[in-house]
PDB file of all heavy atoms in Angstrom:
ATOM      1  N   ALA A 708     100.709 122.398  97.919  1.00 90.00           N
ATOM      2  CA  ALA A 708     102.101 122.464  97.484  1.00 90.00           C
ATOM      3  C   ALA A 708     102.914 121.263  97.970  1.00 90.00           C
ATOM      4  O   ALA A 708     103.884 120.845  97.326  1.00 90.00           O
ATOM      5  CB  ALA A 708     102.741 123.759  97.975  1.00 90.00           C
ATOM      6  N   LYS A 709     102.512 120.716  99.117  1.00 92.00           N
ATOM      7  CA  LYS A 709     103.227 119.564  99.684  1.00 92.00           C
ATOM      8  C   LYS A 709     102.488 118.258  99.436  1.00 92.00           C
ATOM      9  O   LYS A 709     102.917 117.204  99.933  1.00 92.00           O
ATOM     10  CB  LYS A 709     103.423 119.760 101.186  1.00 92.00           C
ATOM     11  CG  LYS A 709     104.325 120.929 101.539  1.00 92.00           C
ATOM     12  CD  LYS A 709     104.527 121.028 103.040  1.00 92.00           C
ATOM     13  CE  LYS A 709     105.483 122.179 103.378  1.00 92.00           C
ATOM     14  NZ  LYS A 709     105.683 122.304 104.846  1.00 92.00           N
ATOM     15  N   ASN A 710     101.373 118.314  98.695  1.00 92.00           N
ATOM     16  CA  ASN A 710     100.558 117.111  98.431  1.00 92.00           C
ATOM     17  C   ASN A 710     100.218 116.389  99.731  1.00 92.00           C
ATOM     18  O   ASN A 710     100.264 115.156  99.804  1.00 92.00           O
ATOM     19  CB  ASN A 710     101.294 116.156  97.482  1.00 92.00           C
ATOM     20  CG  ASN A 710     101.455 116.747  96.102  1.00 92.00           C
ATOM     21  OD1 ASN A 710     100.585 117.495  95.630  1.00 92.00           O
ATOM     22  ND2 ASN A 710     102.548 116.451  95.449  1.00 92.00           N
ATOM     23  N   THR A 711      99.856 117.158 100.730  1.00 94.00           N
ATOM     24  CA  THR A 711      99.655 116.613 102.064  1.00 94.00           C
ATOM     25  C   THR A 711      98.334 117.090 102.655  1.00 94.00           C
ATOM     26  O   THR A 711      97.967 118.262 102.505  1.00 94.00           O
ATOM     27  CB  THR A 711     100.813 117.032 102.991  1.00 94.00           C
ATOM     28  OG1 THR A 711     102.051 116.563 102.441  1.00 94.00           O
ATOM     29  CG2 THR A 711     100.637 116.435 104.388  1.00 94.00           C
ATOM     30  N   VAL A 712      97.667 116.168 103.306  1.00 96.00           N
ATOM     31  CA  VAL A 712      96.469 116.485 104.086  1.00 96.00           C
ATOM     32  C   VAL A 712      96.784 116.157 105.538  1.00 96.00           C
ATOM     33  O   VAL A 712      97.386 115.116 105.836  1.00 96.00           O
ATOM     34  CB  VAL A 712      95.255 115.683 103.595  1.00 96.00           C
ATOM     35  CG1 VAL A 712      94.069 115.868 104.535  1.00 96.00           C
ATOM     36  CG2 VAL A 712      94.882 116.116 102.187  1.00 96.00           C
ATOM     37  N   TYR A 713      96.370 117.042 106.422  1.00 98.00           N
ATOM     38  CA  TYR A 713      96.657 116.892 107.844  1.00 98.00           C
ATOM     39  C   TYR A 713      95.373 116.637 108.637  1.00 98.00           C
ATOM     40  O   TYR A 713      94.287 117.045 108.233  1.00 98.00           O
ATOM     41  CB  TYR A 713      97.321 118.159 108.391  1.00 98.00           C
ATOM     42  CG  TYR A 713      98.593 118.529 107.693  1.00 98.00           C
ATOM     43  CD1 TYR A 713      98.608 119.523 106.708  1.00 98.00           C
ATOM     44  CD2 TYR A 713      99.790 117.910 108.015  1.00 98.00           C
ATOM     45  CE1 TYR A 713      99.779 119.884 106.064  1.00 98.00           C
ATOM     46  CE2 TYR A 713     100.973 118.258 107.375  1.00 98.00           C
ATOM     47  CZ  TYR A 713     100.952 119.242 106.399  1.00 98.00           C
ATOM     48  OH  TYR A 713     102.124 119.585 105.771  1.00 98.00           O
ATOM     49  N   LEU A 714      95.548 115.997 109.769  1.00 98.00           N
ATOM     50  CA  LEU A 714      94.467 115.885 110.741  1.00 98.00           C
ATOM     51  C   LEU A 714      95.046 116.299 112.087  1.00 98.00           C
ATOM     52  O   LEU A 714      95.822 115.551 112.685  1.00 98.00           O
ATOM     53  CB  LEU A 714      93.896 114.470 110.803  1.00 98.00           C
ATOM     54  CG  LEU A 714      92.681 114.322 111.712  1.00 98.00           C
ATOM     55  CD1 LEU A 714      91.477 115.093 111.147  1.00 98.00           C
ATOM     56  CD2 LEU A 714      92.315 112.848 111.908  1.00 98.00           C
ATOM     57  N   GLN A 715      94.696 117.502 112.511  1.00 98.00           N
ATOM     58  CA  GLN A 715      95.115 117.981 113.817  1.00 98.00           C
ATOM     59  C   GLN A 715      94.121 117.492 114.847  1.00 98.00           C
ATOM     60  O   GLN A 715      92.921 117.772 114.736  1.00 98.00           O
ATOM     61  CB  GLN A 715      95.186 119.509 113.844  1.00 98.00           C
ATOM     62  CG  GLN A 715      95.563 120.097 115.190  1.00 98.00           C
ATOM     63  CD  GLN A 715      96.988 119.779 115.595  1.00 98.00           C
ATOM     64  OE1 GLN A 715      97.906 119.875 114.776  1.00 98.00           O
ATOM     65  NE2 GLN A 715      97.186 119.408 116.859  1.00 98.00           N
ATOM     66  N   MET A 716      94.602 116.765 115.828  1.00 98.00           N
ATOM     67  CA  MET A 716      93.732 116.168 116.836  1.00 98.00           C
ATOM     68  C   MET A 716      94.088 116.734 118.205  1.00 98.00           C
ATOM     69  O   MET A 716      95.206 116.525 118.688  1.00 98.00           O
ATOM     70  CB  MET A 716      93.888 114.644 116.829  1.00 98.00           C
ATOM     71  CG  MET A 716      93.664 114.028 115.465  1.00 98.00           C
ATOM     72  SD  MET A 716      93.675 112.218 115.488  1.00 98.00           S
ATOM     73  CE  MET A 716      95.348 111.898 116.003  1.00 98.00           C
ATOM     74  N   ASN A 717      93.157 117.441 118.797  1.00 98.00           N
ATOM     75  CA  ASN A 717      93.347 118.035 120.116  1.00 98.00           C
ATOM     76  C   ASN A 717      92.383 117.421 121.122  1.00 98.00           C
ATOM     77  O   ASN A 717      91.401 116.778 120.740  1.00 98.00           O
ATOM     78  CB  ASN A 717      93.118 119.551 120.047  1.00 98.00           C
ATOM     79  CG  ASN A 717      94.087 120.249 119.120  1.00 98.00           C
ATOM     80  OD1 ASN A 717      95.246 119.850 118.968  1.00 98.00           O
ATOM     81  ND2 ASN A 717      93.627 121.318 118.482  1.00 98.00           N
ATOM     82  N   SER A 718      92.668 117.639 122.382  1.00 98.00           N
ATOM     83  CA  SER A 718      91.806 117.138 123.465  1.00 98.00           C
ATOM     84  C   SER A 718      91.485 115.662 123.264  1.00 98.00           C
ATOM     85  O   SER A 718      90.334 115.230 123.348  1.00 98.00           O
ATOM     86  CB  SER A 718      90.507 117.958 123.533  1.00 98.00           C
ATOM     87  OG  SER A 718      90.776 119.321 123.736  1.00 98.00           O
ATOM     88  N   LEU A 719      92.504 114.896 122.997  1.00 98.00           N
ATOM     89  CA  LEU A 719      92.302 113.479 122.679  1.00 98.00           C
ATOM     90  C   LEU A 719      91.752 112.717 123.875  1.00 98.00           C
ATOM     91  O   LEU A 719      92.066 113.012 125.042  1.00 98.00           O
ATOM     92  CB  LEU A 719      93.614 112.861 122.212  1.00 98.00           C
ATOM     93  CG  LEU A 719      93.990 113.211 120.769  1.00 98.00           C
ATOM     94  CD1 LEU A 719      95.463 112.945 120.511  1.00 98.00           C
ATOM     95  CD2 LEU A 719      93.123 112.428 119.797  1.00 98.00           C
ATOM     96  N   LYS A 720      90.930 111.736 123.556  1.00 98.00           N
ATOM     97  CA  LYS A 720      90.287 110.887 124.558  1.00 98.00           C
ATOM     98  C   LYS A 720      90.676 109.437 124.306  1.00 98.00           C
ATOM     99  O   LYS A 720      91.014 109.069 123.174  1.00 98.00           O
ATOM    100  CB  LYS A 720      88.768 111.021 124.445  1.00 98.00           C
ATOM    101  CG  LYS A 720      88.233 112.429 124.513  1.00 98.00           C
ATOM    102  CD  LYS A 720      86.729 112.446 124.247  1.00 98.00           C
ATOM    103  CE  LYS A 720      86.175 113.852 124.282  1.00 98.00           C
ATOM    104  NZ  LYS A 720      84.713 113.877 124.000  1.00 98.00           N
ATOM    105  N   PRO A 721      90.581 108.593 125.324  1.00 97.00           N
ATOM    106  CA  PRO A 721      90.866 107.171 125.103  1.00 97.00           C
ATOM    107  C   PRO A 721      90.011 106.564 123.990  1.00 97.00           C
ATOM    108  O   PRO A 721      90.490 105.672 123.270  1.00 97.00           O
ATOM    109  CB  PRO A 721      90.552 106.542 126.465  1.00 97.00           C
ATOM    110  CG  PRO A 721      90.849 107.634 127.441  1.00 97.00           C
ATOM    111  CD  PRO A 721      90.410 108.903 126.759  1.00 97.00           C
ATOM    112  N   ASP A 722      88.792 107.056 123.814  1.00 97.00           N
ATOM    113  CA  ASP A 722      87.924 106.550 122.747  1.00 97.00           C
ATOM    114  C   ASP A 722      88.445 106.885 121.352  1.00 97.00           C
ATOM    115  O   ASP A 722      87.942 106.347 120.363  1.00 97.00           O
ATOM    116  CB  ASP A 722      86.507 107.117 122.889  1.00 97.00           C
ATOM    117  CG  ASP A 722      85.716 106.430 123.999  1.00 97.00           C
ATOM    118  OD1 ASP A 722      86.200 105.402 124.518  1.00 97.00           O
ATOM    119  OD2 ASP A 722      84.635 106.923 124.355  1.00 97.00           O
ATOM    120  N   ASP A 723      89.413 107.772 121.254  1.00 98.00           N
ATOM    121  CA  ASP A 723      89.999 108.094 119.957  1.00 98.00           C
ATOM    122  C   ASP A 723      91.062 107.076 119.541  1.00 98.00           C
ATOM    123  O   ASP A 723      91.578 107.144 118.422  1.00 98.00           O
ATOM    124  CB  ASP A 723      90.643 109.489 119.997  1.00 98.00           C
ATOM    125  CG  ASP A 723      89.631 110.592 120.204  1.00 98.00           C
ATOM    126  OD1 ASP A 723      88.544 110.533 119.589  1.00 98.00           O
ATOM    127  OD2 ASP A 723      89.924 111.526 120.988  1.00 98.00           O
ATOM    128  N   THR A 724      91.371 106.157 120.409  1.00 98.00           N
ATOM    129  CA  THR A 724      92.357 105.124 120.093  1.00 98.00           C
ATOM    130  C   THR A 724      91.886 104.283 118.919  1.00 98.00           C
ATOM    131  O   THR A 724      90.780 103.731 118.936  1.00 98.00           O
ATOM    132  CB  THR A 724      92.604 104.220 121.314  1.00 98.00           C
ATOM    133  OG1 THR A 724      93.197 105.008 122.356  1.00 98.00           O
ATOM    134  CG2 THR A 724      93.522 103.061 120.968  1.00 98.00           C
ATOM    135  N   ALA A 725      92.726 104.193 117.893  1.00 98.00           N
ATOM    136  CA  ALA A 725      92.353 103.474 116.671  1.00 98.00           C
ATOM    137  C   ALA A 725      93.523 103.540 115.692  1.00 98.00           C
ATOM    138  O   ALA A 725      94.484 104.291 115.903  1.00 98.00           O
ATOM    139  CB  ALA A 725      91.118 104.100 116.030  1.00 98.00           C
ATOM    140  N   VAL A 726      93.389 102.782 114.626  1.00 98.00           N
ATOM    141  CA  VAL A 726      94.264 102.968 113.472  1.00 98.00           C
ATOM    142  C   VAL A 726      93.575 103.980 112.563  1.00 98.00           C
ATOM    143  O   VAL A 726      92.396 103.820 112.228  1.00 98.00           O
ATOM    144  CB  VAL A 726      94.518 101.652 112.726  1.00 98.00           C
ATOM    145  CG1 VAL A 726      95.403 101.906 111.501  1.00 98.00           C
ATOM    146  CG2 VAL A 726      95.166 100.630 113.643  1.00 98.00           C
ATOM    147  N   TYR A 727      94.311 105.004 112.186  1.00 98.00           N
ATOM    148  CA  TYR A 727      93.766 106.073 111.348  1.00 98.00           C
ATOM    149  C   TYR A 727      94.261 105.888 109.918  1.00 98.00           C
ATOM    150  O   TYR A 727      95.461 105.715 109.678  1.00 98.00           O
ATOM    151  CB  TYR A 727      94.182 107.427 111.898  1.00 98.00           C
ATOM    152  CG  TYR A 727      93.398 107.831 113.119  1.00 98.00           C
ATOM    153  CD1 TYR A 727      93.583 107.184 114.335  1.00 98.00           C
ATOM    154  CD2 TYR A 727      92.434 108.837 113.058  1.00 98.00           C
ATOM    155  CE1 TYR A 727      92.843 107.531 115.461  1.00 98.00           C
ATOM    156  CE2 TYR A 727      91.691 109.197 114.176  1.00 98.00           C
ATOM    157  CZ  TYR A 727      91.905 108.531 115.366  1.00 98.00           C
ATOM    158  OH  TYR A 727      91.159 108.877 116.481  1.00 98.00           O
ATOM    159  N   TYR A 728      93.313 105.943 108.987  1.00 98.00           N
ATOM    160  CA  TYR A 728      93.608 105.724 107.578  1.00 98.00           C
ATOM    161  C   TYR A 728      93.265 106.966 106.761  1.00 98.00           C
ATOM    162  O   TYR A 728      92.241 107.609 106.977  1.00 98.00           O
ATOM    163  CB  TYR A 728      92.791 104.557 107.034  1.00 98.00           C
ATOM    164  CG  TYR A 728      93.088 103.223 107.660  1.00 98.00           C
ATOM    165  CD1 TYR A 728      92.358 102.781 108.764  1.00 98.00           C
ATOM    166  CD2 TYR A 728      94.084 102.390 107.149  1.00 98.00           C
ATOM    167  CE1 TYR A 728      92.613 101.546 109.337  1.00 98.00           C
ATOM    168  CE2 TYR A 728      94.339 101.156 107.716  1.00 98.00           C
ATOM    169  CZ  TYR A 728      93.609 100.742 108.808  1.00 98.00           C
ATOM    170  OH  TYR A 728      93.865  99.518 109.381  1.00 98.00           O
ATOM    171  N   CYS A 729      94.103 107.225 105.797  1.00 97.00           N
ATOM    172  CA  CYS A 729      93.853 108.278 104.819  1.00 97.00           C
ATOM    173  C   CYS A 729      93.214 107.644 103.587  1.00 97.00           C
ATOM    174  O   CYS A 729      93.623 106.558 103.153  1.00 97.00           O
ATOM    175  CB  CYS A 729      95.183 108.938 104.464  1.00 97.00           C
ATOM    176  SG  CYS A 729      95.068 110.264 103.271  1.00 97.00           S
ATOM    177  N   ASN A 730      92.225 108.321 103.029  1.00 96.00           N
ATOM    178  CA  ASN A 730      91.505 107.834 101.854  1.00 96.00           C
ATOM    179  C   ASN A 730      91.379 108.971 100.854  1.00 96.00           C
ATOM    180  O   ASN A 730      90.972 110.076 101.228  1.00 96.00           O
ATOM    181  CB  ASN A 730      90.136 107.320 102.278  1.00 96.00           C
ATOM    182  CG  ASN A 730      89.191 107.136 101.116  1.00 96.00           C
ATOM    183  OD1 ASN A 730      88.314 107.956 100.872  1.00 96.00           O
ATOM    184  ND2 ASN A 730      89.357 106.039 100.389  1.00 96.00           N
ATOM    185  N   ALA A 731      91.717 108.711  99.608  1.00 94.00           N
ATOM    186  CA  ALA A 731      91.574 109.724  98.557  1.00 94.00           C
ATOM    187  C   ALA A 731      90.588 109.232  97.510  1.00 94.00           C
ATOM    188  O   ALA A 731      90.653 108.068  97.085  1.00 94.00           O
ATOM    189  CB  ALA A 731      92.926 110.014  97.920  1.00 94.00           C
ATOM    190  N   VAL A 732      89.687 110.111  97.135  1.00 93.00           N
ATOM    191  CA  VAL A 732      88.667 109.789  96.142  1.00 93.00           C
ATOM    192  C   VAL A 732      88.988 110.528  94.852  1.00 93.00           C
ATOM    193  O   VAL A 732      89.153 111.758  94.859  1.00 93.00           O
ATOM    194  CB  VAL A 732      87.275 110.209  96.642  1.00 93.00           C
ATOM    195  CG1 VAL A 732      86.226 109.866  95.595  1.00 93.00           C
ATOM    196  CG2 VAL A 732      86.956 109.530  97.969  1.00 93.00           C
ATOM    197  N   LEU A 733      89.098 109.770  93.788  1.00 90.00           N
ATOM    198  CA  LEU A 733      89.358 110.345  92.464  1.00 90.00           C
ATOM    199  C   LEU A 733      88.358 109.735  91.506  1.00 90.00           C
ATOM    200  O   LEU A 733      88.490 108.565  91.120  1.00 90.00           O
ATOM    201  CB  LEU A 733      90.794 110.039  92.032  1.00 90.00           C
ATOM    202  CG  LEU A 733      91.202 110.569  90.656  1.00 90.00           C
ATOM    203  CD1 LEU A 733      91.084 112.089  90.607  1.00 90.00           C
ATOM    204  CD2 LEU A 733      92.628 110.144  90.319  1.00 90.00           C
ATOM    205  N   LEU A 734      87.337 110.510  91.179  1.00 90.00           N
ATOM    206  CA  LEU A 734      86.223 110.038  90.347  1.00 90.00           C
ATOM    207  C   LEU A 734      85.630 108.793  91.006  1.00 90.00           C
ATOM    208  O   LEU A 734      85.124 108.858  92.093  1.00 90.00           O
ATOM    209  CB  LEU A 734      86.704 109.791  88.927  1.00 90.00           C
ATOM    210  CG  LEU A 734      87.258 111.038  88.207  1.00 90.00           C
ATOM    211  CD1 LEU A 734      87.759 110.675  86.821  1.00 90.00           C
ATOM    212  CD2 LEU A 734      86.217 112.130  88.144  1.00 90.00           C
ATOM    213  N   TRP A 735      85.699 107.653  90.345  1.00 91.00           N
ATOM    214  CA  TRP A 735      85.105 106.431  90.880  1.00 91.00           C
ATOM    215  C   TRP A 735      86.101 105.598  91.689  1.00 91.00           C
ATOM    216  O   TRP A 735      85.785 104.529  92.184  1.00 91.00           O
ATOM    217  CB  TRP A 735      84.558 105.574  89.740  1.00 91.00           C
ATOM    218  CG  TRP A 735      85.625 105.099  88.802  1.00 91.00           C
ATOM    219  CD1 TRP A 735      86.328 103.933  88.889  1.00 91.00           C
ATOM    220  CD2 TRP A 735      86.131 105.798  87.667  1.00 91.00           C
ATOM    221  NE1 TRP A 735      87.230 103.861  87.864  1.00 91.00           N
ATOM    222  CE2 TRP A 735      87.146 104.981  87.097  1.00 91.00           C
ATOM    223  CE3 TRP A 735      85.849 107.014  87.055  1.00 91.00           C
ATOM    224  CZ2 TRP A 735      87.849 105.359  85.963  1.00 91.00           C
ATOM    225  CZ3 TRP A 735      86.548 107.382  85.930  1.00 91.00           C
ATOM    226  CH2 TRP A 735      87.541 106.568  85.392  1.00 91.00           C
ATOM    227  N   GLN A 736      87.314 106.079  91.843  1.00 92.00           N
ATOM    228  CA  GLN A 736      88.360 105.294  92.493  1.00 92.00           C
ATOM    229  C   GLN A 736      88.608 105.755  93.931  1.00 92.00           C
ATOM    230  O   GLN A 736      88.516 106.938  94.244  1.00 92.00           O
ATOM    231  CB  GLN A 736      89.664 105.411  91.706  1.00 92.00           C
ATOM    232  CG  GLN A 736      89.581 104.921  90.282  1.00 92.00           C
ATOM    233  CD  GLN A 736      90.879 105.114  89.549  1.00 92.00           C
ATOM    234  OE1 GLN A 736      91.751 104.249  89.557  1.00 92.00           O
ATOM    235  NE2 GLN A 736      91.034 106.283  88.941  1.00 92.00           N
ATOM    236  N   ASN A 737      88.932 104.774  94.758  1.00 93.00           N
ATOM    237  CA  ASN A 737      89.301 105.044  96.142  1.00 93.00           C
ATOM    238  C   ASN A 737      90.704 104.511  96.385  1.00 93.00           C
ATOM    239  O   ASN A 737      91.016 103.378  96.004  1.00 93.00           O
ATOM    240  CB  ASN A 737      88.333 104.357  97.105  1.00 93.00           C
ATOM    241  CG  ASN A 737      87.138 105.222  97.412  1.00 93.00           C
ATOM    242  OD1 ASN A 737      87.176 106.065  98.298  1.00 93.00           O
ATOM    243  ND2 ASN A 737      86.083 105.039  96.656  1.00 93.00           N
ATOM    244  N   PHE A 738      91.522 105.311  97.046  1.00 94.00           N
ATOM    245  CA  PHE A 738      92.881 104.899  97.382  1.00 94.00           C
ATOM    246  C   PHE A 738      93.059 105.002  98.893  1.00 94.00           C
ATOM    247  O   PHE A 738      92.535 105.933  99.523  1.00 94.00           O
ATOM    248  CB  PHE A 738      93.901 105.778  96.668  1.00 94.00           C
ATOM    249  CG  PHE A 738      93.765 105.771  95.176  1.00 94.00           C
ATOM    250  CD1 PHE A 738      93.024 106.748  94.525  1.00 94.00           C
ATOM    251  CD2 PHE A 738      94.355 104.765  94.414  1.00 94.00           C
ATOM    252  CE1 PHE A 738      92.884 106.742  93.143  1.00 94.00           C
ATOM    253  CE2 PHE A 738      94.222 104.750  93.036  1.00 94.00           C
ATOM    254  CZ  PHE A 738      93.482 105.729  92.395  1.00 94.00           C
ATOM    255  N   TRP A 739      93.816 104.056  99.441  1.00 96.00           N
ATOM    256  CA  TRP A 739      93.996 103.989 100.887  1.00 96.00           C
ATOM    257  C   TRP A 739      95.472 103.953 101.260  1.00 96.00           C
ATOM    258  O   TRP A 739      96.291 103.358 100.553  1.00 96.00           O
ATOM    259  CB  TRP A 739      93.332 102.721 101.437  1.00 96.00           C
ATOM    260  CG  TRP A 739      91.840 102.730 101.336  1.00 96.00           C
ATOM    261  CD1 TRP A 739      91.084 102.258 100.311  1.00 96.00           C
ATOM    262  CD2 TRP A 739      90.914 103.227 102.315  1.00 96.00           C
ATOM    263  NE1 TRP A 739      89.753 102.435 100.578  1.00 96.00           N
ATOM    264  CE2 TRP A 739      89.619 103.021 101.804  1.00 96.00           C
ATOM    265  CE3 TRP A 739      91.050 103.816 103.574  1.00 96.00           C
ATOM    266  CZ2 TRP A 739      88.470 103.398 102.496  1.00 96.00           C
ATOM    267  CZ3 TRP A 739      89.915 104.184 104.268  1.00 96.00           C
ATOM    268  CH2 TRP A 739      88.650 103.975 103.730  1.00 96.00           C
ATOM    269  N   GLY A 740      95.767 104.545 102.394  1.00 96.00           N
ATOM    270  CA  GLY A 740      97.091 104.390 102.969  1.00 96.00           C
ATOM    271  C   GLY A 740      97.143 103.154 103.853  1.00 96.00           C
ATOM    272  O   GLY A 740      96.155 102.435 103.990  1.00 96.00           O
ATOM    273  N   GLN A 741      98.288 102.932 104.462  1.00 96.00           N
ATOM    274  CA  GLN A 741      98.492 101.729 105.268  1.00 96.00           C
ATOM    275  C   GLN A 741      98.020 101.918 106.707  1.00 96.00           C
ATOM    276  O   GLN A 741      97.890 100.940 107.452  1.00 96.00           O
ATOM    277  CB  GLN A 741      99.976 101.329 105.265  1.00 96.00           C
ATOM    278  CG  GLN A 741     100.865 102.099 106.231  1.00 96.00           C
ATOM    279  CD  GLN A 741     101.128 103.542 105.813  1.00 96.00           C
ATOM    280  OE1 GLN A 741     100.761 103.961 104.708  1.00 96.00           O
ATOM    281  NE2 GLN A 741     101.763 104.304 106.686  1.00 96.00           N
ATOM    282  N   GLY A 742      97.762 103.143 107.102  1.00 97.00           N
ATOM    283  CA  GLY A 742      97.265 103.414 108.446  1.00 97.00           C
ATOM    284  C   GLY A 742      98.370 103.779 109.421  1.00 97.00           C
ATOM    285  O   GLY A 742      99.530 103.405 109.246  1.00 97.00           O
ATOM    286  N   THR A 743      97.974 104.525 110.439  1.00 98.00           N
ATOM    287  CA  THR A 743      98.903 104.881 111.513  1.00 98.00           C
ATOM    288  C   THR A 743      98.167 104.739 112.846  1.00 98.00           C
ATOM    289  O   THR A 743      97.018 105.157 112.980  1.00 98.00           O
ATOM    290  CB  THR A 743      99.465 106.310 111.321  1.00 98.00           C
ATOM    291  OG1 THR A 743     100.446 106.579 112.321  1.00 98.00           O
ATOM    292  CG2 THR A 743      98.387 107.383 111.379  1.00 98.00           C
ATOM    293  N   GLN A 744      98.824 104.128 113.809  1.00 98.00           N
ATOM    294  CA  GLN A 744      98.195 103.827 115.094  1.00 98.00           C
ATOM    295  C   GLN A 744      98.220 105.049 116.005  1.00 98.00           C
ATOM    296  O   GLN A 744      99.268 105.678 116.190  1.00 98.00           O
ATOM    297  CB  GLN A 744      98.908 102.672 115.779  1.00 98.00           C
ATOM    298  CG  GLN A 744      98.399 102.342 117.172  1.00 98.00           C
ATOM    299  CD  GLN A 744      97.029 101.706 117.158  1.00 98.00           C
ATOM    300  OE1 GLN A 744      96.771 100.770 116.387  1.00 98.00           O
ATOM    301  NE2 GLN A 744      96.136 102.194 118.014  1.00 98.00           N
ATOM    302  N   VAL A 745      97.065 105.340 116.568  1.00 98.00           N
ATOM    303  CA  VAL A 745      96.946 106.377 117.601  1.00 98.00           C
ATOM    304  C   VAL A 745      96.432 105.703 118.864  1.00 98.00           C
ATOM    305  O   VAL A 745      95.397 105.038 118.832  1.00 98.00           O
ATOM    306  CB  VAL A 745      95.984 107.493 117.163  1.00 98.00           C
ATOM    307  CG1 VAL A 745      95.706 108.436 118.329  1.00 98.00           C
ATOM    308  CG2 VAL A 745      96.552 108.248 115.975  1.00 98.00           C
ATOM    309  N   THR A 746      97.174 105.868 119.936  1.00 98.00           N
ATOM    310  CA  THR A 746      96.782 105.291 121.214  1.00 98.00           C
ATOM    311  C   THR A 746      96.734 106.406 122.255  1.00 98.00           C
ATOM    312  O   THR A 746      97.711 107.125 122.442  1.00 98.00           O
ATOM    313  CB  THR A 746      97.767 104.205 121.664  1.00 98.00           C
ATOM    314  OG1 THR A 746      97.847 103.201 120.654  1.00 98.00           O
ATOM    315  CG2 THR A 746      97.302 103.569 122.971  1.00 98.00           C
ATOM    316  N   VAL A 747      95.568 106.536 122.900  1.00 98.00           N
ATOM    317  CA  VAL A 747      95.382 107.574 123.908  1.00 98.00           C
ATOM    318  C   VAL A 747      95.207 106.890 125.256  1.00 98.00           C
ATOM    319  O   VAL A 747      94.260 106.117 125.446  1.00 98.00           O
ATOM    320  CB  VAL A 747      94.171 108.452 123.586  1.00 98.00           C
ATOM    321  CG1 VAL A 747      94.054 109.591 124.604  1.00 98.00           C
ATOM    322  CG2 VAL A 747      94.265 109.007 122.175  1.00 98.00           C
ATOM    323  N   SER A 748      96.106 107.172 126.165  1.00 97.00           N
ATOM    324  CA  SER A 748      96.037 106.555 127.488  1.00 97.00           C
ATOM    325  C   SER A 748      95.257 107.452 128.453  1.00 97.00           C
ATOM    326  O   SER A 748      95.279 108.678 128.346  1.00 97.00           O
ATOM    327  CB  SER A 748      97.439 106.312 128.032  1.00 97.00           C
ATOM    328  OG  SER A 748      98.122 107.536 128.198  1.00 97.00           O
ATOM    329  N   SER A 749      94.590 106.804 129.395  1.00 94.00           N
ATOM    330  CA  SER A 749      93.775 107.565 130.364  1.00 94.00           C
ATOM    331  C   SER A 749      94.582 107.965 131.584  1.00 94.00           C
ATOM    332  O   SER A 749      95.701 107.541 131.762  1.00 94.00           O
ATOM    333  CB  SER A 749      92.564 106.742 130.786  1.00 94.00           C
ATOM    334  OG  SER A 749      92.996 105.512 131.322  1.00 94.00           O
TER     335      SER A 749
END
């Protein structure tokens, strides 16, 4: 209903630090978002 996909991330670790990208597959096409930075400090 909200055209939204979520990623709930728990128990985060420093190794999870990265830019996270959303990707949608429609038949033979791939679409990408611009990314969002996740930084996990120790």
Side-chain angles (χ1 to χ4, degrees):
K709 295 183 178 179
N710 293 326
T711 301
V712 172
Y713 302 100
L714 185 67
Q715 178 67 44
M716 306 186 296
N717 299 327
S718 302
L719 283 162
K720 306 174 181 179
D722 283 350
D723 295 318
T724 295
V726 178
Y727 284 71
Y728 296 92
C729 180
N730 165 258
V732 180
L733 179 60
L734 299 178
W735 63 91
Q736 300 178 89
N737 272 275
F738 302 95
W739 292 91
Q741 81 288 352
T743 185
Q744 176 71 48
V745 171
T746 303
V747 184
S748 63
S749 57

